[in-house]
Amino acid sequence: MLHYKTKKNDQVINLQAQAAFEVPLENSLLPAVSGAVIGVALNDKTLYQSLEKQFNEKPHVSPPKTPVLHIKTDNTHIGYGDTIRIPSDMGAVFSGPSLGIVIGKKACRVTEESALDYVQGYTIVNEVSLAETSFYRPAVKAKCRDTFCPIGPWVMDAADVETPQNLAIKTYINDTLCHETSTNQMIHSIEQVIAYISSFITLEAGDMIIAGTPLRTESLEIKADDVVMVEIEKIGRLVNPVAAE
């Protein structure tokens, strides 16, 4: 089952569909979730390996032992077809393809063994960001600019995603495949992430966790007039045009 949101006569409407072809994508959809959005930084093996030497040098001295978190505030959330607006004077801007883990019921201090019982389903996230210089403390200015978190086009029920920890993720810019990764590259599993976050933050139904983004190389850089598409196996495609602010 797919769950998606649209607006009619200024009213938010929650809809369901059995298959992707039943969801009209001609018009912009609202972000697929409406709760808090928490991102997990440094949760990709390639990204982590690229920074491992720095972690063992001052001022850090040692690598992080627990997931590093950041937030994507409400102003960043946009839906399928909405425009990502990027600044022209802040340097490179990068797409951040990721699986979105959508919470289905209140989760407070849950165990890893029970964590998946609290998942409603999965969606697609493009965690857009300026170039990052601090991974221990992700910069709000880099992460929380308006339109910097497309989410959607829908939430796929967890029961319909048999292998969430082994899904191919592809990113296209202007119909050209520019990046491939997989959820099997996560350092901390879905269960571990939910258990860790819920140990000190009570997660509510509709909240979402961004599972982790890959190393942001030139291949993921987006520019004005581009169209970026993130595709996750068994879930669908999230498409957004890019424009200058």
Side-chain angles (χ1 to χ4, degrees):
M1 182 76 72
L2 309 175
H3 307 266
Y4 63 103
K5 299 176 185 288
T6 188
K7 183 177 283 190
K8 186 175 183 179
N9 298 327
D10 292 326
Q11 297 291 319
V12 175
I13 303 173
N14 294 286
L15 299 169
Q16 297 180 351
Q18 293 290 339
F21 70 83
E22 298 177 8
V23 182
L25 296 176
E26 297 83 9
N27 300 317
S28 297
L29 299 175
L30 297 178
V33 299
S34 54
V37 174
I38 302 171
V40 184
L42 298 176
N43 202 29
D44 176 87
K45 293 175 183 177
T46 302
L47 172 60
Y48 187 94
Q49 289 166 3
S50 74
L51 297 168
E52 196 163 13
K53 182 179 178 181
Q54 296 179 39
F55 291 151
N56 291 289
E57 297 173 348
K58 293 182 178 180
H60 310 302
V61 182
S62 63
K65 296 179 175 59
T66 59
V68 177
L69 306 180
H70 65 90
I71 59 172
K72 298 294 275 195
T73 47
D74 288 352
N75 63 296
T76 67
H77 306 172
I78 60 174
Y80 180 101
D82 283 340
T83 301
I84 301 167
R85 300 197 174 276
I86 63 175
S88 58
D89 58 351
M90 300 290 289
V93 180
F94 298 92
S95 177
S98 179
L99 179 71
I101 307 161
V102 183
I103 301 301
K105 59 183 179 181
K106 181 178 288 189
C108 180
R109 296 176 177 83
V110 306
T111 65
E112 289 182 26
E113 291 74 20
S114 66
L116 292 184
D117 295 338
Y118 294 83
V119 176
Q120 175 198 348
Y122 302 95
T123 188
I124 304 169
V125 185
N126 188 351
E127 197 269 282
V128 179
S129 179
L130 301 178
E132 298 177 79
T133 57
S134 175
F135 288 94
Y136 274 83
R137 295 182 179 178
V140 171
K141 284 187 177 180
K143 296 284 191 184
C144 295
R145 299 185 69 90
D146 293 348
T147 75
F148 266 29
C149 191
I151 306 167
W154 44 64
V155 176
M156 176 79 75
D157 279 343
D160 297 323
V161 184
E162 295 178 358
T163 56
Q165 206 68 71
N166 190 30
L167 300 175
I169 304 176
K170 298 180 180 180
T171 304
Y172 298 80
I173 297 177
N174 302 326
D175 290 329
T176 298
L177 178 63
C178 63
H179 188 272
E180 293 185 79
T181 185
S182 171
T183 56
N184 64 22
Q185 293 303 298
M186 291 171 61
I187 296 170
H188 305 287
S189 69
I190 293 170
E191 295 93 331
Q192 290 170 333
V193 165
I194 293 172
Y196 176 71
I197 295 174
S198 73
S199 70
F200 59 94
I201 297 175
T202 297
L203 297 168
E204 302 286 351
D207 289 349
M208 185 186 74
I209 299 168
I210 304 173
T213 54
L215 176 65
R216 301 183 201 242
T217 63
E218 290 182 0
S219 64
L220 285 171
E221 183 176 355
I222 56 175
K223 300 177 181 178
D225 300 322
D226 283 343
V227 175
V228 58
M229 177 174 70
V230 179
E231 178 183 84
I232 299 185
E233 180 184 6
K234 300 186 184 300
I235 298 177
R237 294 176 172 181
L238 174 62
V239 183
N240 297 90
V242 183
E245 285 184 339

